[in-house]
Amino acid sequence: MSARVLRLLWFTNVAFPAACEAVGRRPPVIGGWLASLGAALQATGKIELMVVCFVPGGSDQSVCLDDIHHELLAIAPARFNQELWFSPSQDTRRKCSGLVAAFQPDVVHVHGTEASYGLLVVEGDIQRPTVISLQGMLGALNRFDDGGLSLWDRLRTLTPYDLCANHGMVHGAMIAARRAREVEARILRHRAMFVGRTTYDRAALRAANPSAVYCHCDEVMRPAFYQQERDACRVVPMRIYASGCGYPRKGFHCLLKAAALLRGDFPEISIRVPGPRPSNSWRRSGYQRYLCRLIRDLRLEDCMTFLGELDAKAVAEELALASAFALPSFGDNSPNGLIEAMLVGTPAVAAFVGGVPSLVRHEESALCFPVGDELVMAECLRRVLSDQRLAAHLAQTAQTVARMRHDPERIAQCMMNIYGQVAAAR
């Protein structure tokens, strides 16, 4: 093997979709950008890559696809959340350290601080040169987990099932806070090199660890968003696409309130979003029950479409047909949904929050509004939906910026330089 080839071992929160399909597991609909980064690095011909990931149930599985080694470490479903999000068991630790010892990587790359993989480095199970990517930033973002909802709004959605199963919005926020305190805070204090992509994650890291070494590297997105063509003749008038409605911090309720304000002037307005249709089922999350009530109270039932799970190609097609993309989030570091819309060329309306200012400029590549302000959000949407010249300008500028910033070859070279620094500093 050439001396220039770097041996890399990644720990990721989700397995690569292709690896899951190869071993008969259901592929995830999130985290696809990791596979894109792996492919871009593999195209350089300068790496050998192993990807390690915890999976629920079954048995440990190994597969090699496109010269990338995948190790799926099975954890009993009853213990999976505890081990992935809080602390791996001794057996899991032995497996991970054994893989590292056998593979002898030049660099270990832990993707994210929100799972327990970083603890393997912090607690000495893995002693190799390490780089840690900043992703969800739990400690910085969990302040916004309530999405601006009142305590009464959150409490009144509780059911006996929530109380018995430790479910619901209040309990979810408590779990996130515990993960930030017991896991992420310890990882951020480690003497590793960190990789981020926004002013927000850099500020959050500095607050947690003033002496940390920070490097900037953007993300490679999934191929479908580079390949999708947007034809103005196919765009559906008054159609708004949002990327998520799963929990309060994503702010979907803010979009619903903005849509209600626009309904009088735009009776044909429609909103499409991935995920299941909210219901009052006692087994649904508290936030889903809240959305169900809000949609009914605002009389928006006839303009809502819930799309279920979508793969990258389906999301890209939805963006190509939408008149606007909406990001109503109360807290985000580097929202992939916004980046995907920019790559496709869909004009975006986004909350000016977290890492969003590192991605777009107001009036140039998006229209921005204060977080949680449905009045200003409605006005931004009104402008995009009614002014085709403005919408075209925002879309073209955003697409140009995004395709330069998220160029796979440039990002692969940047990441290789970072790996080189980490390996040299061992």
Side-chain angles (χ1 to χ4, degrees):
M1 183 180 298
S2 168
R4 296 180 61 196
V5 173
L6 279 175
R7 296 171 70 85
L8 307 175
L9 188 144
W10 286 6
F11 286 100
T12 63
N13 295 342
V14 293
F16 284 22
C20 291
E21 292 174 353
V23 299
R25 287 183 174 270
R26 184 180 181 183
V29 296
I30 60 173
W33 63 270
L34 288 164
S36 298
L37 176 59
L41 289 168
Q42 196 72 5
T44 68
K46 298 178 180 179
I47 69 162
E48 184 176 355
L49 176 60
M50 174 182 284
V51 180
V52 181
C53 179
F54 299 166
V55 293
S59 57
D60 296 345
Q61 295 167 299
S62 301
V63 63
C64 185
L65 299 171
D66 299 322
D67 294 325
I68 298 177
H69 310 277
H70 299 269
E71 297 289 341
L72 283 65
L73 304 184
I75 297 175
R79 302 200 321 267
F80 182 74
N81 286 338
Q82 172 65 28
E83 292 205 30
L84 177 63
W85 301 124
F86 289 101
S87 180
S89 67
Q90 288 301 317
D91 181 56
T92 302
R93 290 172 183 270
R94 282 193 295 270
K95 290 180 182 179
C96 291
S97 59
L99 288 171
V100 172
F103 190 65
Q104 288 293 301
D106 298 298
V107 176
V108 170
H109 188 164
V110 177
H111 287 273
T113 57
E114 59 270 26
S116 65
Y117 301 116
L119 295 181
L120 298 173
V121 179
V122 172
E123 296 175 358
D125 296 273
I126 295 172
Q127 298 184 22
R128 305 293 294 180
T130 302
V131 60
I132 300 175
S133 288
L134 304 175
Q135 295 179 173
M137 304 305 297
L138 288 174
L141 294 174
N142 66 10
R143 299 170 293 162
F144 312 109
D145 281 349
D146 61 8
L149 300 179
S150 68
L151 181 60
W152 168 243
D153 281 332
R154 287 176 282 152
L155 288 176
R156 70 175 177 163
T157 62
L158 285 172
T159 67
Y161 172 75
D162 292 331
L163 297 174
C164 294
N166 291 328
H167 206 258
M169 286 188 277
V170 175
H171 184 262
M174 293 171 62
I175 291 294
R178 181 186 163 201
R179 286 169 55 196
R181 181 177 64 253
E182 297 181 7
V183 179
E184 184 182 69
R186 296 180 62 199
I187 296 171
L188 291 177
R189 290 194 297 267
H190 189 62
R191 296 189 306 273
M193 184 177 289
F194 293 86
V195 178
R197 52 198 180 276
T198 68
T199 301
Y200 190 76
D201 60 34
R202 183 169 190 152
L205 175 63
R206 188 181 297 277
N209 184 354
S211 62
V213 178
Y214 178 95
C215 296
H216 179 99
C217 188
D218 295 300
E219 285 181 314
V220 180
M221 308 307 290
R222 292 173 288 181
F225 300 102
Y226 299 91
Q227 299 164 357
Q228 181 67 50
E229 296 183 4
R230 191 169 190 267
D231 184 351
C233 297
R234 296 178 61 229
V235 172
V236 180
M238 310 304 157
R239 177 183 286 187
I240 301 169
Y241 178 80
S243 58
C245 61
Y247 46 98
R249 179 158 54 85
K250 289 299 180 182
F252 190 69
H253 52 285
C254 182
L255 175 57
L256 293 178
K257 294 174 183 178
L261 294 171
L262 294 169
R263 194 75 185 276
D265 293 334
F266 301 103
E268 296 181 358
I269 195 170
S270 64
I271 300 174
R272 296 169 70 85
V273 62
R277 175 173 289 276
S279 78
N280 278 321
S281 167
W282 61 275
R283 296 201 65 141
R284 285 290 179 88
S285 73
Y287 186 58
Q288 294 298 305
R289 292 194 291 274
Y290 171 78
L291 290 180
C292 183
R293 182 185 300 116
L294 186 62
I295 291 169
R296 181 195 63 210
D297 292 346
L298 297 176
R299 300 181 180 179
L300 295 174
E301 293 95 337
D302 60 331
C303 70
M304 301 298 307
T305 302
F306 293 90
L307 302 166
E309 287 190 354
L310 300 181
D311 60 18
K313 185 177 180 181
V315 173
E317 179 68 12
E318 285 288 337
L319 286 168
L321 296 175
S323 297
F325 169 79
L327 181 80
S329 182
F330 280 72
D332 253 313
N333 178 30
S334 176
N336 284 350
L338 176 59
I339 298 169
E340 292 164 357
M342 295 174 73
L343 285 169
V344 172
T346 305
V349 169
F352 198 72
V353 65
V356 170
S358 296
L359 302 177
V360 299
R361 291 189 177 182
H362 180 53
E363 299 281 356
E364 291 186 20
S365 50
L367 295 184
C368 298
F369 60 93
V371 61
D373 194 330
E374 68 268 17
L375 302 179
V376 183
M377 184 183 191
E379 182 59 25
C380 290
L381 285 169
R382 183 189 305 276
R383 292 178 62 192
V384 171
L385 295 175
S386 60
D387 188 337
Q388 293 185 6
R389 181 176 296 181
L390 171 64
H393 167 73
L394 295 173
Q396 182 177 0
T397 304
Q399 189 176 53
T400 300
V401 169
R403 298 213 169 198
M404 291 178 60
R405 181 173 59 220
H406 301 281
D407 175 65
E409 291 186 8
R410 183 188 68 81
I411 293 171
Q413 186 56 56
C414 177
M415 201 69 241
M416 288 298 296
N417 292 339
I418 293 171
Y419 287 145
Q421 294 177 46
V422 176
R426 63 185 301 167

